[in-house]
Amino acid sequence: MMKGGEIKMTATKAVKRNYYSVEFLFPDEIVNQEILSDLIIPAVQGEFYSYSSKFTDERPLYAFMKCKANKNRPIDTIKDLGHEANLLFLFNKLEQIKVCPVKTAHTSGLLGNSVNSELLSNTFIAPAKITAEHFYNLYFKKDASKLMKISQESCLECKTSIIPLELEMIIAMMTDCGKYGLFLVKDLTSTSIQIDACHILL
């Protein structure tokens, strides 16, 4: 127990070993998934967000917003989200689930003509060469400088913008407006993906 908050610990099975994800939950971050808002609540500069989120073929958009806002959004909300929309999960029962930046999705014709690409932020993604233990340690400690360093180094090396996803894979994220993040693939089905993630606006 820590003054001003509480600690939640969950055990997660990893390949050949067990690790624990530990999260400090402070009052403004104790948010029930069922009451998360679909309002557009932008991230606040300097606030470190650690959270879990589930994306489906009905809610495949990923928006890097404040903890109290749903990160998963229906695809037709992109015209309202604008630069708050960052990634799109691609669901195809015959293939692996993939993820790509919304600008890549727009260029590929996956978003139709409902949004002006100039209103979308540039988001960069790449596999992060870190372990699950490293991810959860950063997630727990809310280490903004390490998060930014890993995101920058990973994304600058990446040469592709559409990434097939696998269980326990870790993806680094970076935007042109100063957001940095990571997500770990916690569960996959043909129509959904569950992630643990963290991001910050600097």
Side-chain angles (χ1 to χ4, degrees):
M1 181 67 65
M2 181 174 179
K3 187 176 180 180
E6 61 183 82
I7 298 176
K8 179 177 69 177
M9 180 175 287
T10 57
T12 307
K13 183 71 175 177
V15 177
K16 296 184 180 179
R17 65 191 302 179
N18 292 323
Y19 60 87
Y20 289 89
S21 65
V22 186
E23 178 184 0
F24 276 111
L25 297 177
F26 291 93
D28 64 335
E29 297 174 359
I30 301 174
V31 182
N32 188 315
Q33 288 287 339
E34 295 180 356
I35 61 172
L36 289 178
S37 175
D38 272 344
L39 294 175
I40 298 173
I41 311 175
V44 176
Q45 189 170 17
E47 288 188 0
F48 193 111
Y49 305 113
S50 299
Y51 52 91
S52 295
S53 192
K54 183 177 182 179
F55 298 84
T56 66
D57 51 358
E58 294 181 351
R59 297 179 71 97
L61 272 180
Y62 186 0
F64 305 163
M65 292 193 288
K66 193 173 174 69
C67 253
K68 293 180 180 180
N70 265 319
K71 312 303 179 296
N72 56 29
R73 303 286 172 134
I75 201 165
D76 61 3
T77 62
I78 193 167
K79 59 183 180 296
D80 299 316
L81 288 167
H83 70 276
E84 294 295 341
N86 298 104
L87 302 179
L88 179 68
F89 288 98
L90 307 174
F91 296 93
N92 184 327
K93 292 182 180 180
L94 301 178
E95 299 179 359
Q96 284 177 274
I97 294 175
K98 300 175 183 176
V99 66
C100 70
V102 289
K103 275 207 169 181
T104 299
H106 186 273
T107 301
S108 302
L110 299 174
L111 302 178
N113 299 316
S114 62
V115 63
N116 183 344
S117 65
E118 293 181 1
L119 300 178
L120 302 175
S121 67
N122 287 305
T123 303
F124 310 94
I125 55 174
K129 297 175 182 177
I130 62 172
T131 64
E133 289 90 343
H134 191 177
F135 168 83
Y136 280 111
N137 186 54
L138 187 153
Y139 177 97
F140 162 64
K141 291 185 176 179
K142 299 182 182 289
D143 193 326
S145 60
K146 284 187 179 179
L147 176 60
M148 182 176 70
K149 184 174 185 290
I150 292 168
S151 299
Q152 287 179 328
E153 290 178 350
S154 300
C155 292
L156 290 175
E157 291 180 0
C158 190
K159 301 185 185 303
T160 183
S161 56
I162 301 178
I163 301 176
L165 298 172
E166 298 176 356
L167 196 61
E168 297 180 356
M169 192 172 186
I170 300 170
I171 300 296
M173 314 175 287
M174 180 175 73
T175 75
D176 60 356
C177 59
K179 293 179 183 177
Y180 302 91
L182 292 167
F183 74 77
L184 179 146
V185 180
K186 197 170 183 180
D187 187 49
L188 281 172
T189 72
S190 61
T191 58
S192 69
I193 177 171
Q194 179 83 31
I195 66 170
D196 283 343
C198 55
H199 72 259
I200 190 168
L201 170 64
L202 294 174

